Amino acid sequence: MANMASAKSAGMKSAGMKSTRTKSASPSVCCGSVADVPLDEASADALATAFAALADPARLRLLSLISSAEGGEVCGCDLVEPIGRSQPTVSHHLKILFEAGLVAKEKRGVWVWYRVVPGRFRELRAALA
Amino acid sequence: MANMASAKSAGMKSAGMKSTRTKSASPSVCCGSVADVPLDEASADALATAFAALADPARLRLLSLISSAEGGEVCGCDLVEPIGRSQPTVSHHLKILFEAGLVAKEKRGVWVWYRVVPGRFRELRAALA
DNA sequence: CCAAGACATCGACACTTGTCAATGTCTTGT
DNA sequence: ACAAGACATTGACAAGTGTCGATGTCTTGG
């Protein structure tokens, strides 16, 4: 019976003392990598939320449009047409990207200008180490 | 007038001839980064599907468990209890991870052993460039 | 051949998500 | 003050997703 398996699952439990204090990650993820052992539920939730923001074609294309814009920023008014969705839908997606910390926005007059947040992408890349 | 904006959205249209032939990416993503201009729909869909596989806490914890296992692989039988979900649910998640190319599996007798696919993670990290 | 155990599949259900039309809130030029 | 335009919010709906219990399919040891 090949079961170091059962044996293993029985004995391994003490390693649970993570430094849960990892910067407290206020709104979004911040730390915690897939390589962590074990990834605690809280970190997993935060990471999952972040990746969920990337799990939509429309949002990926928005990110692509924003990051490739000259000057590194784009007026929201220029994002609706290329995406091919309604204005409320684009607004919705931009909100999700913003709340995930993937983009920053700044209101200038009537317009809102968006730009990507490189540090956030670095974090997520690090989580895929 | 702050409107290079409207001007821009008006004039840019001819760029529509995508090279839809971008390697065809058979089962999963392969190419295409958020930094691509523009990210075509097909690449966006593929990338979104890949990130969707990462957009669940249970799956992230599975990846964490698998990648941190000694020898780099784990028997599926040891993944059910630590995740705290039913066996069918864990099986379901492993299937999604497998189909996303994030893990490989090998049947040995009654058991199935899982290991992560580093190259796949590299691809996704590259997409977040 | 049979019983046991590891996985997979199925059916069902609650919950989430992407989308749009309609409508609301600001800001600006007239 | 007003009309126009850029965004945001709301309400509704179809489609997708995570979860489980029940059941099916293999493989192995007896």
Side-chain angles (χ1 to χ4, degrees):
Chain A
M1 24 157 57
N3 281 24
M4 322 172 33
S6 329
K8 246 188 297 183
S9 51
M12 299 296 241
K13 213 41 171 304
S14 49
M17 54 125 351
K18 286 309 198 7
S19 55
T20 317
R21 182 223 285 81
T22 48
K23 268 182 207 155
S24 93
S26 33
S28 40
V29 301
C30 135
C31 311
S33 154
V34 171
D36 284 352
V37 196
L39 225 199
D40 61 283
E41 295 251 23
S43 299
D45 279 0
L47 258 183
T49 300
F51 284 124
L54 294 170
D56 181 274
R59 288 195 287 272
L60 290 176
R61 299 185 66 207
L62 282 171
L63 286 172
S64 151
L65 286 170
I66 297 172
S67 72
S68 67
E70 53 181 330
E73 52 184 11
V74 192
C75 170
C77 62
D78 285 330
L79 292 174
V80 173
E81 196 215 278
I83 295 299
R85 308 278 157 85
S86 72
Q87 176 269 321
T89 296
V90 172
S91 179
H92 167 68
H93 286 310
L94 287 170
K95 183 179 186 179
I96 291 180
L97 290 175
F98 175 72
E99 291 175 343
L102 292 166
V103 303
K105 61 181 175 182
E106 181 183 353
K107 181 159 190 176
R108 294 182 199 154
V110 192
W111 300 287
V112 179
W113 292 79
Y114 292 90
R115 60 182 188 284
V116 302
V117 179
R120 189 67 173 122
F121 283 86
R122 253 195 305 278
E123 285 178 11
L124 293 183
R125 257 181 290 145
L128 293 181
Chain B
M1 299 291 213
N3 280 22
M4 316 173 37
S6 327
K8 247 187 295 186
S9 53
M12 300 295 241
K13 210 41 172 304
S14 48
M17 50 132 342
K18 320 286 189 23
S19 56
T20 317
R21 183 218 287 76
T22 46
K23 271 182 201 150
S24 92
S26 36
S28 41
V29 301
C30 134
C31 311
S33 155
V34 171
D36 284 353
V37 195
L39 225 199
D40 61 284
E41 295 251 24
S43 299
D45 279 0
L47 257 183
T49 300
F51 285 124
L54 294 170
D56 181 275
R59 288 196 287 271
L60 289 176
R61 299 185 65 206
L62 282 171
L63 285 173
S64 150
L65 286 170
I66 297 172
S67 71
S68 66
E70 52 181 331
E73 52 184 11
V74 192
C75 170
C77 63
D78 285 332
L79 291 174
V80 174
E81 195 216 279
I83 294 299
R85 309 278 156 86
S86 73
Q87 176 268 319
T89 296
V90 172
S91 179
H92 167 69
H93 286 310
L94 287 170
K95 182 179 187 179
I96 290 180
L97 289 174
F98 174 73
E99 291 176 341
L102 292 165
V103 304
K105 61 181 175 181
E106 181 183 352
K107 183 159 188 175
R108 294 182 199 156
V110 193
W111 300 287
V112 178
W113 292 78
Y114 291 89
R115 61 180 187 286
V116 302
V117 179
R120 189 68 173 121
F121 283 85
R122 252 193 306 278
E123 284 179 11
L124 294 183
R125 258 181 289 138
L128 293 182

